[in-house]
Amino acid sequence: MSGIYLHIPFCKQACHYCDFHFSTSMGLKEQTVQAIARELELRHQYLRGQPVHTIYFGGGTPSLLSQQELQLLLETAKRLFIVSEDAEITLEANPDDLTPAKLQELKAAGINRLSIGLQSFHGPHLQLMNRAHSATESLQCVKDAQAAGFHNITVDLIYGIPAPDHQVWQRDLETLFALGVPHASCYALTVEPATVLGRWSKQGTFTPAEDDFTARQFEILLGQMARHGYVQYEISNFCLPGHESRHNSNYWRGVHYLGVGPSAHSFNGVSRQYNVAHNRKYTDALALGQIPFEIETLSLADQANDYLLTSLRTIWGCDLQRISTAYGYDFRVTHAGYLQELQEKGLAHMAEEVLYLTDAGKLLADQITLELFIA
């Protein structure tokens, strides 16, 4: 199996926390869509005939595309690749785009899974993040999507937003559960230097939440999700049984994927390819039949680190025997003391050569991964 990721680099406005590649100018939107279709043609052999089980429109804001633009890209992908009949076709959408008419267009275009960037149900938090939608739209768009026949829905929520206490976060979770969506991705607010929040933080006009505050909200998240029957199958991702994101699960399991569009990444097991993060350079190159990209060949250590980084975050854990067999690094020998320490401190446990992080370990996942990384 394999997947296709299409990066749609356009947004109505810039969120104050976002450091992804996007543009708020729509001047190149039509050219970019045509260029993405052209890139699909030029790279139709990248997946070497592997069946495509997932297609993911990310961004940016893919819900800004028209029905015709979405159909062009989907029809091009289906013409050039072996796309399974039951493929999961996800589109990221902002609440303010999801009118009843737009939802019908998305269904007609072939979208069967929605990823809705709610971020919060609390108006002041949405304003802080400079989201283009209101708290009312956060709630209404999910109800409209369900009424339109979309049942495979995931929503994004952000925690760790500075507040006097945890009441807003608890209300956000209560609202989420009341909506009955089968999947949620919940991320801690990260203040990146090149973002508005990053500049405000440097200037002293914004103070990020303390680590202990964010950690407590993560603990609240874990407890509430478990109480409502959601499985944490990756550190930031929760679902009712059977509703895992097939596309993202494949990323974490090392499945090959093709990424098209400005700034998109591709992975084929032995290398990564990075498209230029510049819309004009991208469209100009594709107009000449060229793909502007850089490529990174992965050593065995790189491949082992990639697997370690992704697998430790998941419910499936990190198979140490696989690392030994496939990449030639035996952590059970080289890191025996550290692995024992993790278990004694209640940060991880082992079962049949697979290393799993506990809830306490998930709070320190990045630190633990760095300790295990192969130099």
Side-chain angles (χ1 to χ4, degrees), residues 169-217:
W169 179 231
Q170 289 170 327
R171 285 198 301 268
D172 274 356
L173 291 174
E174 289 168 4
T175 304
L176 168 72
F177 298 131
L179 286 169
V181 294
H183 189 288
S185 298
C186 302
Y187 305 102
L189 179 66
T190 302
V191 179
E192 301 290 352
T195 64
V196 172
L197 289 183
R199 292 193 292 273
W200 287 353
S201 179
K202 186 176 181 180
Q203 294 165 2
T205 56
F206 172 77
T207 303
E210 296 287 342
D211 288 346
D212 287 349
F213 179 90
T214 301
R216 177 56 189 147
Q217 293 207 334

Side-chain angles (χ1 to χ4, degrees), residues 298-313:
L298 302 175
S299 66
L300 286 177
D302 293 330
Q303 294 174 48
N305 285 339
D306 270 2
Y307 172 68
L308 177 69
L309 175 67
T310 54
S311 63
L312 263 186
R313 296 178 60 88

Side-chain angles (χ1 to χ4, degrees), residues 95-97 116 118 121 132-142:
D96 44 299
D97 293 327
I116 307 176
L118 302 182
F121 297 99
H133 65 278
S134 67
T136 300
E137 287 172 317
S138 282
L139 186 64
Q140 189 60 45
C141 73
V142 177

Side-chain angles (χ1 to χ4, degrees), residues 7-11 21-25 32 36 58-62 261-263 279:
H7 188 77
I8 310 302
F10 300 100
C11 290
H21 171 65
F22 67 92
S23 171
T24 55
S25 169
T32 302
I36 291 173
T61 311
S263 81
N279 293 357

